[in-house]
Amino acid sequence: RLSLYGEDNARDWFLNTYKVSPEKTELAIKVAKTELKIIEKAGEKSFSLYISIPFCPTRCSYCSFVSHSIANSNAKKLLPEYLDKLAEEIEMTGKIASELGLKLESVYFGGGTPGVLEAPQLDRLLYAVENSFDLSTVREYTVEIGRPDTVTPEKLRILRLHNVGRISINPQTFNQKTLDLIGRNHKVEQAVKAYQLAKAYGFDSINMDLIAGLPEETLEDFKASVDTAISLSPENITVHTLALKRSSELNASGAGVSGGNTAKQMLEYASSRLNASRYEPYYMYRQSKCVGNLENVGWCKSGKDCLYNVFMMEECHTVIAVGAGAVTKLCDPESTNVERIFNFKYPYEYISGFDKITERKNGIKSFYLSY
C-alpha cells in the first residue's frame, strides 16, 4: 500500500482499518521504505539461489525445521550421498538458468546449520556454484554458518576464497543457562570468539540472531543479550520472537516460556537500543504460534541490509531453491503470480526420489516460457 497509495494513506489504513498500534505502524513503514529501495534495484529476469543444508550438530528444543542431527549416526551416513545429489542439482539448475537468460543476484546457504559441513565439503559446494552459475551479477553471497561451535579458521578461509561476503553466526542468547536448557551445545565465549575470528577474516557483513521469549529467560537476561550483541557491533542483528511450533521438543515438553507481555517488553527494549545504536529495521515477518503474537525483525547498519531476506519474504523476485526441503518460488514480473516447486522434505526422500526432482525442475522452464 505504501507504493500504491503513498505514506499518509498507508499509515491511515494501518491505524484505522487494521487497528495497528502507532508504534507498529511506524515500524512497518520504515521497513517498507527500505524494502522498496531493494526491490526497485532488482534487475529484469533476476533471481536468487537458495541452497539447503538440512543437518545440524544437535537439534535445538525450539526447532521445527526439517533438520537432522549428525549426532545421529544414520543421519551422518546420509550426508555424503546428500552432498553428491545436491552438487548434481546445483549443476542442473545452473544450466536451466543459463538457458533462460536469468541473472543471479543473491546466493544463500541456509539450513539447518551449513557450518556443520567440513571445510572440504563446503569447498566442493562453493565450487559447484561457481562452475554452474554466472556470478558476475551477484550482489550478495551469504552462508548462514549458524552455530558458533561449528566455526573454524579453515571454514572461514574457504568461504573468503570463494568470495562469500556475508555470514550468519547465531548465538540466540548470551545467557549460558538458557543455552544449556535449549540444547545448544556451545558456550557464550565460543559465540564471541567465533564472531571475532570472522571479523578478522574480513567479511563484509556478519549477522547475529537473538530470540525473545526463550524458556526461563527474564527481561533482564534478554536485555543483557541485546547489549552484548550491540557491543560486538555486527552489521546485522535479527531479533526473533520464539515460535512454539507443534513439532518442536519445547512445545511437546510444555516447558515454561516467557509470557506475551514479557516478550513484548523484550522487543521494545531491543527496538529502543538498536535504534539508539544506529541500526535500522529492514525486513520483518511474523510466524504462527509466536509468543505474544509478536514479530521477527531484521536490523542492520546503514547499507548492510540482506537482499535475500527481502526477496524471499516479499515474494517479488524468483528464488530457485535446491536441496531437501527447498521450495522454489517463481515470480512473474508482470503480475503478482507466484508458482512453487517443492523438493522432497527429508534427505533420504531427496536422495531416493532425485529423478522426480529433476522432472520438477523443468517447471522453471515452463513458467518462464509461458510469458
Side-chain angles (χ1 to χ4, degrees):
R1 289 191 175 274
L2 187 65
S3 58
L4 288 175
Y5 304 114
E7 184 176 328
D8 290 341
N9 287 330
R11 182 180 285 106
D12 181 71
W13 188 272
F14 266 57
L15 290 170
N16 298 312
T17 302
Y18 291 131
K19 307 300 180 185
V20 178
S21 71
E23 296 77 17
K24 299 296 185 187
T25 296
E26 293 309 313
L27 173 61
I29 288 173
K30 280 184 180 179
V31 168
K33 285 180 176 179
T34 301
E35 289 186 336
L36 282 171
K37 291 177 184 176
I38 292 170
I39 292 165
E40 286 168 357
K41 288 182 181 178
E44 186 179 353
K45 296 190 80 172
S46 69
F47 76 104
S48 293
L49 175 67
Y50 178 82
I51 299 164
S52 172
I53 309 295
F55 296 90
C56 287
T58 58
R59 191 170 181 85
C60 301
S61 65
Y62 56 78
C63 182
S64 63
F65 291 148
V66 178
S67 185
H68 296 264
S69 167
I70 61 167
N72 179 307
S73 60
N74 290 329
K76 193 169 185 177
K77 287 177 185 176
L78 283 175
L79 187 54
E81 191 173 0
Y82 176 79
L83 295 178
D84 288 343
K85 294 299 183 186
L86 182 58
E88 190 176 336
E89 189 184 5
I90 289 169
E91 181 181 359
M92 170 180 60
T93 305
K95 288 178 180 176
I96 293 171
S98 178
E99 288 173 18
L100 294 171
L102 303 182
K103 296 177 182 178
L104 183 57
E105 290 214 28
S106 72
V107 180
Y108 195 102
F109 277 72
T113 304
V116 78
L117 301 180
E118 297 299 332
Q121 294 171 325
L122 273 173
D123 193 37
R124 177 192 178 190
L125 289 182
L126 293 163
Y127 268 122
V129 173
E130 288 172 9
N131 293 332
S132 303
F133 292 89
D134 176 6
L135 301 184
S136 65
T137 55
V138 169
R139 294 195 285 147
E140 176 183 271
Y141 202 144
T142 299
V143 173
E144 186 177 351
I145 293 179
R147 296 266 285 263
D149 49 336
T150 67
V151 176
T152 67
E154 182 62 9
K155 291 177 190 178
L156 296 175
R157 186 185 70 83
I158 291 294
L159 293 176
R160 292 302 293 132
L161 280 175
H162 289 279
N163 296 313
V164 173
R166 183 177 183 275
I167 61 172
S168 191
I169 297 172
N170 301 328
Q172 313 300 22
T173 176
F174 286 98
N175 183 341
Q176 190 61 54
K177 179 182 175 183
T178 308
L179 288 173
D180 296 340
L181 190 62
I182 62 178
R184 285 180 76 82
N185 294 346
H186 73 264
K187 303 298 182 185
V188 169
E189 295 78 11
Q190 281 181 294
V192 174
K193 288 179 180 177
Y195 171 78
Q196 291 170 339
L197 183 62
K199 288 299 288 185
Y201 272 85
F203 288 91
D204 299 329
S205 184
I206 301 176
N207 172 73
M208 302 190 92
D209 280 3
L210 298 175
I211 301 177
L214 288 169
E216 299 186 22
E217 281 239 320
T218 66
L219 176 58
E220 294 307 312
D221 290 333
F222 183 75
K223 285 181 175 181
S225 288
V226 171
D227 292 346
T228 299
I230 290 174
S231 72
L232 292 171
S233 195
E235 286 73 21
N236 290 179
I237 297 176
T238 306
V239 182
H240 297 273
T241 303
L242 178 66
L244 286 169
K245 296 294 188 178
R246 184 176 58 189
S247 59
S248 70
E249 178 189 323
L250 184 60
N251 184 56
S253 70
V257 300
S258 302
N261 188 55
T262 300
K264 178 174 178 288
Q265 291 177 306
M266 290 174 172
L267 292 194
E268 287 172 347
Y269 180 80
S271 178
S272 174
R273 286 285 287 117
L274 288 162
N275 269 310
S277 303
R278 304 187 75 175
Y279 284 85
E280 304 165 357
Y282 76 95
Y283 92 112
M284 65 186 294
Y285 66 103
R286 194 180 68 186
Q287 295 173 283
S288 63
K289 303 184 185 299
C290 273
V291 174
N293 203 28
L294 294 163
E295 68 277 358
N296 306 313
V297 182
W299 297 81
C300 68
K301 293 181 178 180
S302 181
K304 294 296 183 179
D305 23 46
C306 176
L307 308 182
Y308 174 81
N309 284 337
V310 174
F311 291 148
M312 184 263 295
M313 285 297 171
E314 293 305 317
E315 298 188 334
C316 57
H317 161 104
T318 287
V319 176
I320 298 178
V322 298
V327 180
T328 291
K329 295 181 182 181
L330 302 169
C331 298
D332 183 347
E334 304 299 325
S335 71
T336 57
N337 181 41
V338 178
E339 292 186 13
R340 289 170 170 78
I341 298 174
F342 295 86
N343 280 6
F344 290 114
K345 247 187 176 185
Y346 300 102
Y348 67 87
E349 291 178 305
Y350 176 80
I351 293 166
S352 63
F354 193 76
D355 288 346
K356 290 184 179 178
I357 286 175
T358 302
E359 292 174 16
R360 292 177 187 179
K361 274 289 185 287
N362 288 325
I364 299 171
K365 293 182 185 178
S366 302
F367 177 84
Y368 276 99
L369 294 175
S370 68
Y371 68 81

